[in-house]
Amino acid sequence: MSTERMGVETLESSVALIIPLFNEEEVLPLLVGELESFKRARKEIIQVIFVDDGSSDGTVREVIRLTNGISGYELVRFSRNFGHQMAISAGIRRCKADAAIILDADLQDPLDVAGKMLDKWKEGFDVVFGIRSLRTQVPAAQRLTAHVFYRLFGKLTDVDAPVDTGDFRLISRAVIEAFNQFEEQQPYVRGLIAWLGFKQVGIPYERPGRAAGDTKYPFRRRFKLAMDALTSFSTKPLKMAINLGLLIASGSFAGLIWVVLTKYVLGTAITGWASLIFAAFFFGGIQLFFLGIVGTYVARVYEEVKRRPRFVIQDVWESGKKGDSDGSKAINER
Ligand code: UDP
Ligand code: MG
């Protein structure tokens, strides 16, 4: 329960941090160090939920080594890599606290901003998201594609999603409960949270570069996320074919009249094999393009109707628990 509602400053409300991990062994010592000082400064943080998204490096071993003697860490281990959005969804499911803050492992989502999110939550906001203001340390090409994507998303969907925000955000208990009702196979977490509504506010911050290691989001994954986002929130691409089809049909009808007129009125037939063949290719291309769009939506429907489990949790390990002091039971030496 929030301190504000109780009107008692000393009563702490509980907050969990949800941090997805995919091959993050390099950044973990730094991260746990920062988390420990953050926990000391903000007593509301009662738990850190790490979700290991099928790492193939020493991530699991590092988490256990670094947090074994300390209480308040939970490590949820997926049976394989299910993706960042799934790791976040699993973390939210496991959260029992009054609020959760979702952040990346690489310290690109600064903890002092997380502290500001806590303050906003105490003022009564349900969702506090970080707005990436300058992002000076993020590669220019990535900044540009992100910039274009967020604006395109805004144009194509009816969701009032804030631009230039990632998944770095605080969500209240009410939002957690609502979010847990989603069962989408390819969730676009930030869009779903925007869709939920509630009292939302943004905090601008400058996004630093990765503290250690390389990005786990190569262009291919980034593109997939963008496609998931657009296809799960908009059906406008499906309808684009109607307008374009009408435009081309009416244009070619005018062209046809012109051809007939030149032949019978002016008495000259237009020749040109090249123009014909390229027109055929052009329209073939457009048709395949839209067939692909339709296919994308059909594939999504197919994924949904199978109703497979969205992720598989192999095991859960808790730090500071008796009877497993060396963490050997959970770790299985990967
Ligand atoms: N991540 C994950 N599963 C994946 C890819 C990434 O859990 O398949 C995690 C990763 O460990 C990090 C966060 O998602 O905590 C964001 O990834 P990253 O920092 O590499 O993305 P970027 O900041 O480059 O967009
Ligand atoms: Mg990052």
Side-chain angles (χ1 to χ4, degrees):
M1 191 164 299
S2 90
T3 45
E4 192 201 49
R5 246 168 277 158
M6 293 298 290
V8 185
E9 256 323 298
T10 49
L11 188 75
E12 293 294 347
S13 34
S14 63
V15 177
L17 304 182
I18 296 172
I19 308 180
L21 301 173
F22 179 58
N23 295 342
E24 299 285 11
E25 66 176 352
E26 281 163 81
V27 84
L28 273 168
L30 274 171
L31 174 67
V32 173
E34 293 251 337
L35 288 174
E36 278 306 298
S37 42
F38 188 53
K39 276 165 69 187
R40 272 193 296 278
R42 305 298 304 241
K43 295 286 177 226
E44 304 95 313
I45 311 292
I46 56 147
Q47 194 184 27
V48 177
I49 304 172
F50 284 127
V51 183
D52 173 56
D53 187 13
S55 298
S56 54
D57 69 351
T59 296
V60 168
R61 203 180 330 119
E62 274 296 272
V63 168
I64 293 174
R65 182 180 74 79
L66 291 161
T67 64
N68 203 16
I70 322 164
S71 65
Y73 286 85
E74 179 174 285
L75 173 65
V76 179
R77 188 153 61 129
F78 278 178
S79 61
R80 64 168 170 85
N81 180 253
F82 283 93
H84 177 213
Q85 301 291 297
M86 241 12 133
I88 294 174
S89 305
I92 296 175
R93 272 255 150 119
R94 289 205 62 90
C95 173
K96 299 281 181 294
D98 296 326
I101 302 178
I102 304 158
L103 59 143
D104 286 357
D106 56 4
L107 295 168
Q108 281 195 289
D109 301 332
L111 287 169
D112 59 311
V113 182
K116 288 186 195 153
M117 290 180 173
L118 281 175
D119 298 334
K120 281 282 174 206
W121 171 58
K122 292 192 172 169
E123 282 173 27
F125 288 98
D126 285 290
V127 178
V128 190
F129 49 84
I131 306 170
R132 302 163 176 184
S133 57
L134 287 169
R135 305 175 70 199
T136 37
Q137 294 181 44
V138 177
Q142 195 176 311
R143 269 199 328 255
L144 179 73
T145 47
H147 183 90
V148 171
F149 166 74
Y150 287 121
R151 272 127 198 108
L152 186 68
F153 186 83
K155 282 248 177 310
L156 287 181
T157 67
D158 301 326
V159 190
D160 195 11
V163 295
D164 302 329
T165 61
D167 289 312
F168 180 32
R169 58 190 62 217
L170 177 146
I171 51 178
S172 70
R173 189 72 233 165
V175 176
I176 294 173
E177 300 288 339
F179 184 85
N180 285 340
Q181 293 175 34
F182 287 122
E183 288 186 347
E184 298 192 16
Q185 293 290 330
Q186 281 122 3
Y188 178 57
V189 174
R190 62 200 86 160
L192 291 173
I193 293 176
W195 183 92
L196 285 173
F198 290 96
K199 216 174 151 196
Q200 313 215 359
V201 69
I203 298 181
Y205 74 104
E206 211 171 296
R207 198 160 202 241
R210 213 174 214 283
D214 298 321
T215 178
K216 306 301 176 299
Y217 254 103
F219 181 75
R220 185 175 42 83
R221 271 177 197 250
R222 234 174 261 286
F223 186 74
K224 181 182 179 298
L225 182 67
M227 288 301 286
D228 281 345
L230 293 176
T231 49
S232 65
F233 280 96
S234 174
T235 51
K236 280 188 189 152
L238 282 171
K239 291 166 192 153
M240 268 163 22
I242 299 177
N243 295 338
L244 192 67
L246 280 176
L247 190 78
I248 292 173
S250 44
S252 49
F253 185 68
L256 181 72
I257 293 177
W258 179 62
V259 168
V260 171
L261 284 182
T262 44
K263 176 149 173 71
Y264 292 106
V265 179
L266 303 175
T268 51
I270 306 163
T271 57
W273 176 85
S275 53
L276 266 184
I277 201 73
F278 283 112
F281 279 156
F282 176 69
F283 293 114
I286 287 182
Q287 280 167 5
L288 280 180
F289 177 74
F290 279 103
L291 199 61
I293 289 184
V294 176
T296 306
Y297 283 89
V298 173
R300 280 192 77 89
V301 174
Y302 179 55
E303 295 296 337
E304 292 294 343
V305 295
K306 283 189 286 189
R307 297 194 58 80
R308 286 190 181 158
R310 303 188 308 153
F311 49 81
V312 178
I313 294 176
Q314 183 171 330
D315 46 32
V316 179
W317 178 84
E318 275 174 64
S319 70
K321 257 204 153 176
K322 288 196 190 80
D324 189 26
S325 55
D326 61 353
S328 57
K329 203 174 91 224
I331 184 169
N332 285 342
E333 282 312 325
R334 319 183 83 212

